Amino acid sequence: MSENKGVNIKNEKQADPAPTPQNTPIFTAPLATAAAVSSETADALATQNPALLSMLQGRLGSLIGAPSGYIESLPKAVRERVDGLRCLQQQHTDIDKKLHLEIFELEKKYSKLYAPLYARRTEIVQGAAEPTDAEKAEGAKIAEAEKEDAEVESGITEVPEDGEDAEEATGIPEFWLTALRNHPQLAELITDRDEGAIKFLRDIRLVYLGDKPGFKLEFEFAENPYFSNSVLSKTYVYEQSDVAGDLEFGSAQGTEIDWKPENDLSVTVETKKQRHKTSNRTRVVKKTVPAETFFSFFATVEEPDSDDDSELADETRDRIELDYELAEEFKEKIVPCAVDWFTGKALAYEGLDEEEYDDEFMDDYYDDEDDDDEDDDEDDDDVDDMSRSAKDAAEPPQCKNQ
């Protein structure tokens, strides 16, 4: 918290009484002044002198929470009573901490009850087992009830039972790809290039940590031409808030993906034709640049220093925040209710409408660094730029981010 003193906004010419909640604002005058500045003025300042605007915003932001002087002006006896309330509030927070830890332990307890259901789901999805007659009959009743609900639109296309697909299909093909594609936030992350790899996804598991509050997301893949890892995981560790006692995300550790060179989805190859100014000879220069991909989710992103207010640091913090939100989506919604995301039912009870969903939500997730640095020889002249994937010469499909 900043140690800056609040600005005295009282009119010294008036005989003001002691400050009270009624005559002392929560925030100091500069904050009110900043709030009054029109958006047009701020935009103009940002265009003309962005550094000055950033400095002003930083200084004004440091005044938030600065003391108004009201508490200090109270009689000693009243201040001591307030201190007593502070003590009670701290005891309340200590109880809250125990509450949130016990809730988390309760989650871990019930995860063991869910485990057989998840194992059974995995067997059916992978084709290791077939549902029993009782399971099929009960599921058919549920599906029939859902058809009567106009808000639920199934993403399943029925095919004749005697068709070739019915004979050749094992388990439920592309179960997890379909489920993830039906989730609006994840659909923004999954590129067309990613789909080929995600088709090999066999299971997504939630594993609670035993030694500390936290959990791990495990993505199990069949053998595939994209990477050699059989399991990609990301571990999240909670920290307990000293203010409210609730559990907050503290850190995340991802898996380093062992990409196969010919199918590395994390990069694209930029090819440039260059002509020498003197000899007029042409050469082809290839440069590997980062690519947008769902598999960026498994990267470990380091938290910037708290005093780093650079644009890159802000973008990194935004990415970390979105990463935590996605982790919660997997933990609380996708893993527990995978079949509802597969059929599309989840879109109804989550209150999500794909047409109304904000596509800009995921704009900050990808690394937006511009790698078009001019590192070529001074005597070279670019005449043609073309991006192609490492596997073929076609331009990689772009993510839907706007």
Side-chain angles (χ1 to χ4, degrees):
M1 179 179 296
S2 174
E3 298 180 356
N4 292 343
K5 300 294 184 181
V7 178
N8 186 353
I9 63 172
K10 295 186 297 181
N11 188 343
E12 298 298 340
K13 295 182 180 180
Q14 300 177 358
D16 288 339
T20 68
Q22 287 71 35
N23 65 22
T24 306
I26 297 177
F27 300 112
T28 51
L31 294 180
T33 304
V37 177
S38 66
S39 59
E40 292 81 1
T41 303
D43 291 342
L45 182 59
T47 302
Q48 298 173 4
N49 196 333
L52 177 60
L53 178 61
S54 177
M55 180 188 69
L56 290 175
Q57 289 175 335
R59 292 186 177 181
L60 292 175
S62 66
L63 294 176
I64 296 177
S68 66
Y70 167 66
I71 300 298
E72 292 77 4
S73 68
L74 294 174
K76 180 180 179 181
V78 176
R79 294 200 306 271
E80 290 176 345
R81 295 176 191 129
V82 172
D83 289 339
L85 296 184
R86 288 190 174 115
C87 177
L88 296 178
Q89 185 62 50
Q90 182 59 51
Q91 294 177 27
H92 187 286
T93 301
D94 293 340
I95 296 175
D96 275 343
K97 289 182 178 181
K98 295 179 181 179
L99 170 64
H100 289 290
L101 287 176
E102 289 188 15
I103 290 175
F104 183 74
E105 291 300 319
L106 194 62
E107 283 187 21
K108 293 171 64 175
K109 173 183 175 181
Y110 273 81
S111 69
K112 297 178 181 179
L113 301 179
Y114 297 138
L117 302 179
Y118 295 154
R120 180 66 175 156
R121 178 180 69 188
T122 300
E123 290 178 347
I124 296 174
V125 169
Q126 296 182 5
E130 293 293 335
T132 64
D133 292 340
E135 290 170 340
K136 289 187 286 187
E138 183 64 24
K141 291 180 182 179
I142 297 173
E144 189 63 30
E146 290 175 359
K147 288 182 180 179
E148 298 176 1
D149 188 346
E151 294 183 359
V152 178
E153 297 182 3
S154 174
I156 301 175
T157 302
E158 296 184 2
V159 297
E161 293 184 0
D162 57 352
E164 294 182 0
D165 290 342
E167 297 178 359
E168 297 177 359
T170 300
I172 305 178
E174 302 181 11
F175 175 83
W176 288 105
L177 172 60
T178 304
L180 299 184
R181 269 295 195 186
N182 280 337
H183 189 285
Q185 293 166 242
L186 292 171
E188 290 297 315
L189 280 177
I190 299 172
T191 68
D192 291 340
R193 296 176 67 204
D194 292 330
E195 289 191 1
I198 299 177
K199 288 179 180 179
F200 291 92
L201 181 57
R202 293 165 56 87
D203 194 21
I204 302 178
R205 295 185 292 268
L206 171 66
V207 180
Y208 285 91
L209 305 182
D211 56 340
K212 50 192 171 184
F215 62 92
K216 178 191 294 186
L217 295 170
E218 295 182 341
F219 295 69
E220 179 187 342
F221 286 84
E223 185 176 352
N224 63 82
Y226 295 91
F227 44 81
S228 59
N229 311 67
S230 60
V231 176
L232 300 179
S233 65
K234 195 155 192 181
T235 302
Y236 295 88
V237 177
Y238 288 127
E239 292 180 353
Q240 197 158 27
S241 169
D242 291 331
V243 178
D246 52 348
L247 297 177
E248 303 173 340
F249 282 102
S251 63
Q253 183 72 34
T255 299
E256 183 176 351
I257 302 177
D258 186 11
W259 292 104
K260 297 179 180 180
E262 65 276 11
N263 284 324
D264 188 345
L265 300 177
S266 67
V267 297
T268 57
V269 176
E270 240 183 36
T271 302
K272 297 182 179 182
K273 292 182 179 179
Q274 299 176 336
R275 180 178 292 109
H276 197 279
K277 293 180 179 180
T278 304
S279 65
N280 206 32
R281 292 180 178 178
T282 301
R283 71 173 183 178
V284 177
V285 178
K286 295 184 178 181
K287 182 173 65 173
T288 300
V289 296
E292 296 178 347
T293 174
F294 162 79
F295 292 92
S296 297
F297 172 76
F298 297 99
T300 300
V301 183
E302 298 295 335
E303 180 80 28
D305 294 335
S306 58
D307 57 351
D308 187 350
D309 57 356
S310 65
E311 182 178 352
L312 178 58
D314 289 340
E315 292 176 356
T316 302
R317 293 187 186 97
D318 290 341
R319 181 179 178 183
I320 291 174
E321 181 179 353
L322 290 173
D323 177 64
Y324 291 157
E325 291 181 13
L326 288 176
E328 278 295 302
E329 291 294 304
F330 276 112
K331 174 178 177 287
E332 300 293 338
K333 299 177 181 179
I334 295 174
V335 172
C337 307
V339 68
D340 289 343
W341 289 104
F342 176 78
T343 63
K345 176 184 176 181
L347 293 172
Y349 64 67
E350 289 289 339
L352 299 175
D353 187 334
E354 289 184 341
E355 295 182 357
E356 297 179 358
Y357 197 83
D358 185 4
D359 288 343
E360 296 181 357
F361 179 84
M362 300 307 300
D363 283 355
D364 293 329
Y365 188 85
Y366 288 122
D367 187 1
D368 293 327
E369 292 184 4
D370 183 4
D371 291 310
D372 293 331
D373 55 320
E374 299 178 358
D375 57 356
D376 302 317
D377 297 334
E378 294 182 357
D379 58 342
D380 290 340
D381 182 30
D382 293 347
V383 296
D384 183 34
D385 290 351
M386 179 176 64
S387 296
R388 56 167 61 89
S389 70
K391 183 178 179 181
D392 53 63
E395 182 178 354
Q398 297 297 316
C399 184
K400 297 179 181 178
N401 290 353
Q402 297 179 354

